Every structure is written in structure tokens, then in C-alpha cells.
């Protein structure tokens, strides 16, 4: 039997080029498959986030309108709460909805601090807060600021507010301290805003939220396990 002739240089070059082309197509196919899978995961995650945000909006609307206040007052309160939540959402979107720094969160939540120059202090070390906890804390801070403007330290000519936080032993402690106003004690009636300050953080991430109606101003403390704030 006659042996087949050896391939010429042109044939070898053609085979090499075909091999290179097939490998390139395989790489592109793998990248396309990976890209499609990544896109599916991103869409699924986006759907989950939208559902969570809509659930919060629905809860805010329902609870605000059930607060037993005039419709115009309820509408104004709802507008402010949705705006506060929107600022928190914007902050998280800049970080791909993973986490945000406590300082940035505080500045976003206390939207009216620039209207009280030198009277609102924010201080604390770098701390990362997960998305769900960030929205909860942002809403609590918004309610505290609103209360201070209407009834507390910022309603007085010389009243001040200090928001500070510290971390130790795997826990985060936030303190909101108002000074320069006279309080006769806790309000006779507590509405949804008070629940956002005290009850919602305790339920969402097992925090301890305490309100102390001191003679010279409100003191609110939030104590939580850092690991729960990262979930």
C-alpha cells in the first residue's frame, strides 16, 4: 500500500488557521454563554430589589395613611418619607446595591442639616452598612430629623443635634443626641414615625433602639450586631 503524501506547507497553514478560528469561536461562545448567564442573574437580582423597594413603598403609604392625621398632612409626610427613601436608594445604586458607608448614609438621610449651619454634627469611624439595614437606618434618621425640626432641638434658636457612632466587639452603636430644648416627657401619642425610629430596626435586624426623653432634649440609641447590618 502506498503511503499518503505528506501535507504541504499550504495545507499545514490552513489547518493551523482553521484550528485558531475554531478556538476563537469556542472562546466567544463561552464568553457569550457566561455573559447571558450573568445577564440572567443581574435581571433576577434587579427584580428582587425592585420587589423589596415596592414593598417598602407600599408599607410606608399604608402606615402613613393609617396614622389618623388629616389627608394633607399624611400626603406631606408620605412625600417626605418617599424622598428620604429615594436618597437612600440613590446612595446604594452608586455602590451596586451592596453596602454604603455610615457617614455617607447619615449625610443623605439628614437632608436639611445645611439649613442649620453649625447645629448638626455627624461623627464616627468608617463603617459599612448593608443595603437592607441602610434603608432602615436612613428612614429612622429622617424621622428623627423631622421630629427635631418640628418639636425638638432644631425648633429652638440655639438647639443642637449630634449624631455619632462607634463600633466595638462586633457591634455598632449609634447615638442621636439633641440639646437645647425643654421636654416634658414622651409625647402622649406615638405614630408611624415613632415606629420607624424604634420598632422597625428592632424587627429588621434585632437591634435595640431606645428613646430617652431627657429634660434638655431627646436621646436615641441604636445598638446592633454588625454582622446583621451586613446581611
Amino acid at each position: 500500500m502506498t503511503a499518503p503524501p505528506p501535507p504541504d506547507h499550504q495545507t499545514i497553514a490552513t489547518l493551523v488557521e482553521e484550528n485558531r478560528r475554531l478556538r476563537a469561536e469556542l472562546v466567544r461562545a463561552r464568553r457569550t454563554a457566561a455573559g447571558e448567564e450573568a445577564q440572567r442573574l443581574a435581571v433576577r437580582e434587579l427584580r428582587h430589589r425592585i420587589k423589596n423597594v415596592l414593598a417598602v413603598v407600599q408599607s410606608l403609604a399604608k402606615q402613613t395613611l393609617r396614622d389618623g392625621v388629616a389627608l394633607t398632612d399624611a400626603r406631606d409626610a408620605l412625600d417626605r418619607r418617599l424622598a428620604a427613601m429615594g436618597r437612600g436608594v440613590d446612595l446604594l445604586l452608586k455602590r451596586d446595591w451592596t453596602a454604603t458607608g455610615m457617614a455617607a448614609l447619615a449625610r443623605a438621610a439628614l437632608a436639611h442639616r445645611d439649613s442649620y449651619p453649625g447645629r448638626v454634627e455627624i461623627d464616627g469611624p468608617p463603617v459599612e452598612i448593608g443595603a437592607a439595614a441602610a434603608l432602615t437606618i436612613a428612614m429612622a434618621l429622617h424621622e428623627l430629623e423631622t421630629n427635631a425640626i418640628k418639636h425638638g432641638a432644631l425648633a429652638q434658636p440655639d438647639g443642637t443635634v449630634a449624631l455619632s457612632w462607634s463600633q466595638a466587639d462586633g457591634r455598632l452603636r449609634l447615638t442621636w443626641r439633641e440639646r437645647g430644648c425643654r421636654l416634658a416627657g414622651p409625647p402622649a401619642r406615638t405614630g408611624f414615625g415613632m415606629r420607624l425610629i424604634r420598632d422597625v430596626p428592632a424587627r429588621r435586624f434585632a437591634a435595640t433602639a431606645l428613646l430617652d426623653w431627657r429634660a434638655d432634649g431627646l436621646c436615641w440609641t441604636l445598638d446592633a450586631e454588625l454582622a446583621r447590618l451586613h446581611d
Side-chain angles (χ1 to χ4, degrees), residues 44 145 155 189 212 224 227:
R44 190 181 309 154
E145 181 190 54
R189 177 183 173 278
D212 186 1

Side-chain angles (χ1 to χ4, degrees), residues 114-136:
D114 291 341
S115 300
Y116 303 89
R119 297 173 59 189
V120 180
E121 179 185 351
I122 299 174
D123 182 56
V127 178
E128 290 288 294
I129 307 294
L135 288 179
T136 300

